[in-house]
Amino acid sequence: MQNFTYLILLFPLIILSQYNNTETISIETNSDNRVYTFEKTITGYIIAGGTKVLKVNNEGEIIFETELGGNGINSVTQDNDQILCLRANGSYSTSLIKLDANGNILFDNQMGNTGSADDVIVLNNNNYAVCGGNAPCGCGGSWDAKIMSFDENGTNLWNTTQCINCGCQCGVGDEILREIVDWGDGIVVTGYTGTGGTGNYGQTDGILAKYDYSGNIIWEQVHGSDQQYTWYNSLIKTSNNNILSTGSFVNDSSTMSSENESVWVVKSNSLGEIIWESIFEGEEENYRYIGQDVIELESGQFIVLSKIFTGLNQGFWIKQIDADGNLVWEETILSDSNNMVYWQNLANEDCGFSVLFSDNESIYIRKYSCLISACTDELACNYNSDANIDDGSCEYIDEVDLGEDITTCEESIILDAGAGYDSYLWSTGETTQTIEVNQSGNYNVNVSNILVESNYSLNFDGQNDYIEVPTAQTNLNIQDQITLSCWIKTSNLT
C-alpha cells in the first residue's frame, strides 16, 4: 500500500522594489479625451476627462458619464458614495459640483471671485476645502492664491487669500495654490507665490502653508531663491508625517525662456522646513520636465509623475525614488498627442500604482504591479497565484512507495517510509520513519519536507520572543521592498 503528501511548511514570498506594467485599460468615451485627474475607488475609478465625469469599473467599463459643460473638470474626489468636482467655466469663473452615486447633479454652485480652482478635498469635519486663485486684473502676473471652505450642501463657509503682491498688479508674479491635504488638525496647501523678477509674469517660488479649519494661517514656508524659478504642483502627507512635494525648477534668475524646467522633489518636515531636495534633469536638452503628481508606496518609497513637453507632442516620466530622494527606477512614455497627462494622474493600487493618461484616440489607465518572486507553476505544491516571477523554488509531490502488499505468517513486520523526509505521519498516528505492525490492514503514510534550511526555522516559548534580521549576516538587500510569508505550526494556542 502506498500513499503520499508533500507539504510546504515554510516558503518565502519576495516582493522586489521594481515595478512592471502589467495591464493597460482603454476607456472608450466620446469625451474630447483630455484627462485631468482621477481617483481609485473600491470597485474602479472616478475620472475627470474634458467636460465630463466618468465612473468606471476595474475593467474600464463605463458605469456612467455625466456631461458638466464649461471649459473642463479640474479635480474630482469621493465623498462616501457621492462625487465632488471642480469645473472651469471660463471668464475667470469656477464652480463646485456635487454628484450622487449615479452621476446625477445634486448641486452646481459657482464660487464667487475665483478664477481658478485646482483641487477639492473632503475634510475630517465633513466640510470641503478648495484651493486655487483669483485674478483681480484678469491679466497674467496678477493672480492671488485662494483657499475656500464649504459645507456638505455647497454653502461657502470662509475664504482666505494668500499673496505677496496682492490686488490688481499685472506682471508682478502669479500666486496660485495647486493642491491641498487634510493634516488632521488643519490643512496644508502647496503651489507658488510671486516674488517679482524680470520674467513675463514675474519670478515664482514654491510655497507650503498650513491653515486651521477656520482659515487662519498657522505657518508658511517659501522654498526657492531670487536666483531660481521654482514652483510646486503637488504634495502628500507621508506615512511618517512629513511633506513630499513635486514641481519644477529653473536655475535662472532672469528669464524662464533660456533654460527648460527640471523636476523638483522636496521633502519637508511637518513645519514645512526642507529636509532634502532632489532635482531630476531629463535626458533631452530641449524637452521640458514638470513634476505633476506624487504618491507614497507601501514600502515608504515614492512615485513621481512628470509631464514632458516636446514641442507639439507630449509624454510622461515616471520615477520611483527612495526615502532619501534617490532614483530607484524610471520609465518614459512619449506620444504624438498633446494631452497625455495634465494634473493628478497617479493612484495607489494593491502592491502597485496606476497612471491615468490619454492620447488623440482614447483614455487609458496604465497599471504597474510590484514584482513578486515565488513559484508560478500551478502544478507545484507551493504555487503562488500572486507571483509574476518564478524564483525556481517550485516543489512537487514525491511518491513514497511502501512496496507490494505483504502476506506473512510472522507475528509482526516493519514498514519503512524511507529516509530523507522532515516529518512522517502514519495512518496509525505514529510519526517515525518506520513502524512495527502486528495486525492485518491497510497502512499509509504522509511525508513532508521544509523548503528552507533548519537554521531559518524558529521556535518560540512565549517569553520575550522577537525576530531580528541583522543585515550584516544575511543576503537580503534591505533597500528593496520585501515581504516574507510563512506557515506557522502552533501548540497549546490560547
Side-chain angles (χ1 to χ4, degrees), residues 374-394:
C375 175
T376 60
D377 188 345
E378 295 183 8
L379 299 178
C381 300
N382 58 331
Y383 164 69
N384 191 300
S385 60
D386 294 327
N388 46 38
I389 296 179
D390 195 301
D391 62 356
S393 66
C394 294

Side-chain angles (χ1 to χ4, degrees), residues 85-89 93-97 108-111 114 117:
C85 56
L86 300 173
R87 181 186 64 210
N89 299 324
S93 170
T94 55
S95 294
L96 175 65
I97 303 172
D108 183 342
N109 296 346
Q110 182 172 327
M111 296 179 287
T114 305

Side-chain angles (χ1 to χ4, degrees), residues 120-317:
V120 57
I121 63 170
V122 181
L123 300 174
N124 288 340
N125 58 14
N126 296 319
N127 291 329
Y128 309 141
V130 175
C131 68
N134 64 286
C137 300
C139 60
S142 70
W143 286 83
D144 294 337
K146 191 171 185 178
I147 310 170
M148 296 151 283
S149 182
F150 301 84
D151 66 16
E152 60 184 7
N153 298 312
T155 302
N156 185 217
L157 301 176
W158 54 260
N159 303 316
T160 295
T161 299
Q162 176 180 330
C163 52
I164 295 176
N165 299 298
C166 304
C168 187
Q169 302 180 67
C170 297
V172 297
D174 284 334
E175 303 177 71
I176 298 178
L177 297 175
R178 305 306 301 271
E179 194 162 22
I180 184 170
V181 297
D182 192 337
W183 208 261
D185 58 353
I187 56 177
V188 176
V189 293
T190 195
Y192 51 90
T193 184
T195 55
T198 57
N200 290 335
Y201 299 135
Q203 184 180 345
T204 61
D205 286 328
I207 189 171
L208 294 174
K210 185 175 183 180
Y211 292 80
D212 64 22
Y213 290 130
S214 298
N216 302 304
I217 192 164
I218 299 174
W219 54 256
E220 177 184 88
Q221 297 285 352
V222 176
H223 296 167
S225 73
D226 58 5
Q227 299 299 312
Q228 304 161 347
Y229 283 85
T230 55
W231 63 95
Y232 289 132
N233 285 324
S234 180
L235 85 161
I236 57 170
K237 180 181 180 180
T238 69
S239 56
N240 55 2
N241 294 319
N242 289 320
I243 302 168
L244 198 80
S245 310
T246 188
S248 290
F249 175 93
V250 179
N251 192 27
D252 192 322
S253 62
S254 59
T255 175
M256 291 178 60
S257 62
S258 62
E259 183 176 339
N260 287 328
E261 298 95 329
S262 299
V263 178
W264 190 37
V265 183
V266 180
K267 187 175 185 179
S268 308
N269 62 22
S270 59
L271 298 177
E273 300 164 334
I274 293 178
I275 299 174
W276 54 254
E277 58 182 316
S278 295
I279 298 172
F280 298 96
E281 298 180 351
E283 293 183 357
E284 299 294 334
E285 183 177 350
N286 295 325
Y287 288 2
R288 300 171 59 197
Y289 299 87
I290 300 175
Q292 292 291 113
D293 200 7
V294 59
I295 57 173
E296 183 175 9
L297 301 170
E298 295 177 357
S299 63
Q301 298 186 343
F302 306 97
I303 296 293
V304 177
L305 179 69
S306 307
K307 179 190 294 187
I308 304 175
F309 287 103
T310 65
L312 296 177
N313 302 328
Q314 198 184 106
F316 56 89
W317 185 16

Side-chain angles (χ1 to χ4, degrees), residues 33-52:
N33 294 333
R34 290 178 298 160
V35 291
Y36 296 125
T37 180
F38 77 143
E39 190 166 291
K40 183 75 175 73
T41 69
I42 296 176
T43 58
Y45 306 87
I46 300 170
I47 302 172
T51 58
K52 291 185 176 182

